[in-house]
Amino acid sequence: MKFRVVEIFASLQGEGVNLGKPAVFIRLAGCPIRCRYCDTKYSWDPLGGVEIDAEEVVQRAAAYGQLGHVVITGGEPLIWRNLHELACPLRRLGTVEVETSGVYPPTPQLDACVDFYDVSPKLSNARVDALLHPHYPRSPKAWFKFVVGGEEDVEEAVRYVEKHGIPRERVFLMPLAETPEQHAEVLRRIWDAAVKHKLRVTPRLHVEAWGNVRGR
Ligand SMILES: C[S@@+](CC[C@H](N)C(=O)[O-])C[C@H]1O[C@@H](n2cnc3c(N)ncnc32)[C@H](O)[C@@H]1O
Ligand SMILES: Nc1nc2[nH]cc(C(=O)O)c2c(=O)[nH]1
Ligand code: SF4
Ligand SMILES: [Mg+2]
């Protein structure tokens, strides 16, 4: 099975439940959702990247050394209906985490090979119609990151969590930011609302360190 791969790189997981873990990132091409704030628009074209066989992707990922954790991202990786043909062999390299908007459900074969879903449900600040699939709130493997730019977004996230029955202990707020300056400014804006609503906050480590650059 071949996949269109935009980039493969080693970095620290900059977001969410596996924050700070050294990981190999595999960014697949294609995303039909098109969030207004997306910091990875170069991944949207489904014909972008290069076509690589799953086993070759695993070899290239393995070349970074046994980092122990692999992140499949995009783009929207769940549009690839045979994603298990990549996720399952990647388990040879460690735990497997999938970054997703949560719009598309995993197949049972994929779910068996995933350790973490890092789900980013879309609030009105994304300016898209993207419904969270009911598979994720009830999955013990799913963690949730709401991109927020200020207090109003935090309040919307609180309503969203309640409406969709998302377990609060699996929820993170994450600054809508592409530069270290924006990141610090948004953190200050959401800080008290996060405390008030007892919601965890995840930074975007790579944005704080490098801004929005490829391969980091
Ligand atoms: C590029 S997306 C790829 C995975 C998947 N399409 C998704 O949206 O979760 C990876 C993560 O970056 C987040 N993201 C994208 N642009 C952002 C921005 N400008 N500020 C904060 N988070 C952003 C997304 O919400 C998601 O959590
Ligand atoms: N360091 C780092 N961590 C990340 N976590 C999720 C990312 C993504 O683009 O999916 C990402 C990324 O692009 N870089
Ligand atoms: S779903 Fe993810 S990759 Fe697609 S536009 Fe939104 S943030 Fe970007
Ligand atoms: Mg990124």
Side-chain angles (χ1 to χ4, degrees), residues 79-102:
I79 63 175
W80 292 87
R81 294 318 298 157
N82 289 328
L83 192 56
H84 65 279
E85 294 191 27
L86 177 59
C88 296
L90 280 172
R91 301 200 92 188
R92 300 199 308 257
L93 306 184
T95 45
V96 174
E97 180 171 29
V98 175
E99 297 274 350
T100 179
S101 60

Side-chain angles (χ1 to χ4, degrees), residues 133-151:
H133 192 280
H135 172 89
Y136 295 103
R138 61 173 181 250
S139 169
K141 300 181 178 182
W143 298 78
F144 300 85
K145 296 183 298 193
F146 287 91
V147 175
V148 292
E151 270 192 75

Side-chain angles (χ1 to χ4, degrees), residues 31-35 37-40 43-44 74-76 101 122:
C31 182
I33 299 172
R34 315 257 147 136
C35 304
Y37 57 58
C38 184
D39 68 354
T40 320
S43 69
W44 286 1
E76 174 45 64
S101 60
K122 303 307 169 189

Side-chain angles (χ1 to χ4, degrees), residues 9 11-15 25 27 39-40 71 73-74 99 118 145 204 206 216:
F9 60 97
S11 191
L12 300 176
Q13 170 49 288
E15 306 171 1
F25 287 78
R27 192 180 303 285
D39 68 354
T40 320
V71 180
T73 186
E99 297 274 350
D118 227 356
K145 296 183 298 193
R204 307 191 82 204
H206 50 304
R216 287 284 187 188

Side-chain angles (χ1 to χ4, degrees), residues 107-121:
T107 61
Q109 303 96 311
L110 173 63
D111 198 46
C113 290
V114 170
D115 299 288
F116 304 91
Y117 296 104
D118 227 356
V119 183
S120 181

Side-chain angles (χ1 to χ4, degrees), residues 13 21 24 51 57 101 111 129 171 175 190:
Q13 170 49 288
K21 271 190 190 172
V24 179
E51 205 173 51
V57 175
S101 60
D111 198 46
D129 248 348
V171 171
I190 67 172

